[in-house]
Amino acid sequence: MLVRSVWFAYVTSTYRLVTSGVRPGSVLGPVLFLVYINDIVDLFVNSDVYVKLYADGIKMYSEIISDSDQHTLQRSIRKISDWSKTWQLQLANDKCQHNRIRFYTALPSTDYVISDSKLPSVSSVRDLGVIVDNRLTFRDHNNSIVSRWHVRSSRFMAMFVLYKDVCNLITRLLRMYDRCLNIVVLYGLRYLSALSINLSLYSTTTFQFH
């Protein structure tokens, strides 16, 4: 058990007993958190539902062909909810969402429920910096790249006014261009090229812990 208080603006709160959680600001904190949630993937061994973990987020996806697949996904969502209650790790319901990826109209849309709340269905979701839409066109992601590139290109133009040393200016511009090209434009390129276009209908559900 850990007893802690909060100090802010030269004022200290009363001491309270902390019964769960990871101590913030520690070096081992992130590692301990990953160890704490690592067994959640064992819930889906030999299952048609796949789970990926990254930091405090969980991505669950499954191919939906029949009604039974929809029921399987709902049961898997319930497993996540039950696991969080058992281990006292509250889900951030406002950050949980469902993205239905499909190339043609197949089964009717199904509402999924988590913790007695309807899971919001979104047309696009950001996955590790890449915006994935429900048709895999990546139009939103491309628009985001173009918008950010315009912002950075305006900084390039501003440097022509600030720097009088032409050689130094060209060196800095090339360095900034290479950095922006890799960070903004080329980021996620392997992710996009690795996608198969043979998907029929996939349901992707993302969760995040508080």
Side-chain angles (χ1 to χ4, degrees):
M1 295 295 180
L2 182 65
V3 179
R4 294 184 63 87
S5 65
V6 177
W7 183 83
F8 179 75
Y10 303 100
V11 178
T12 304
S13 67
T14 57
Y15 283 89
R16 294 297 180 93
L17 185 64
V18 180
T19 58
S20 64
V22 177
R23 184 174 181 178
S26 63
V27 177
L28 289 177
V31 178
L32 293 175
F33 179 80
L34 294 179
V35 172
Y36 191 76
I37 69 171
N38 191 55
D39 67 317
I40 200 170
V41 297
D42 297 336
L43 299 174
F44 306 97
V45 176
N46 300 325
S47 173
D48 293 331
V49 177
Y50 303 93
V51 175
K52 302 295 183 182
L53 305 180
Y54 184 80
D56 61 343
I58 301 177
K59 178 172 60 180
M60 176 191 301
Y61 59 95
S62 175
E63 185 176 8
I64 305 298
I65 300 177
S66 62
D67 292 337
S68 62
D69 295 328
Q70 295 177 341
H71 298 322
T72 300
L73 182 58
Q74 178 58 66
R75 287 195 298 268
S76 300
I77 295 174
R78 191 176 299 112
K79 287 181 181 180
I80 296 287
S81 179
D82 294 340
W83 183 93
S84 66
K85 292 177 182 177
T86 301
W87 295 103
Q88 302 180 25
L89 194 59
Q90 185 179 1
L91 287 170
N93 291 336
D94 57 328
K95 297 181 180 179
C96 299
Q97 52 195 6
H98 166 248
N99 185 17
R100 186 180 177 93
I101 300 175
R102 57 184 172 183
F103 295 100
Y104 57 87
T105 303
L107 296 174
S109 301
T110 301
D111 293 332
Y112 296 98
V113 178
I114 181 171
S115 301
D116 299 326
S117 300
K118 179 182 175 181
L119 197 62
S121 180
V122 296
S123 59
S124 62
V125 61
R126 184 179 295 274
D127 183 19
L128 300 182
V130 178
I131 303 176
V132 182
D133 60 272
N134 56 5
R135 295 285 181 174
L136 295 184
T137 63
F138 296 98
R139 187 177 295 108
D140 294 338
H141 182 71
N142 294 334
N143 292 337
S144 175
I145 289 177
V146 172
S147 177
R148 286 187 293 169
W149 183 256
H150 278 309
V151 173
R152 284 162 174 76
S153 62
S154 63
R155 297 176 182 174
F156 294 156
M157 300 303 297
M159 294 185 67
F160 283 99
V161 180
L162 297 176
Y163 287 87
K164 297 181 180 180
D165 187 348
V166 179
C167 294
N168 186 30
L169 173 62
I170 294 176
T171 302
R172 293 179 64 90
L173 284 176
L174 290 176
R175 188 182 300 117
M176 289 180 63
Y177 177 82
D178 181 67
R179 185 178 304 171
C180 291
L181 185 67
N182 285 282
I183 294 177
V184 179
V185 179
L186 299 182
Y187 175 78
L189 190 61
R190 293 181 181 179
Y191 177 92
L192 303 180
S193 61
L195 287 172
S196 171
I197 63 173
N198 295 323
L199 297 175
S200 55
L201 190 152
Y202 267 78
S203 281
T204 303
T205 309
T206 57
F207 307 95
Q208 187 169 338
F209 295 107
H210 274 301

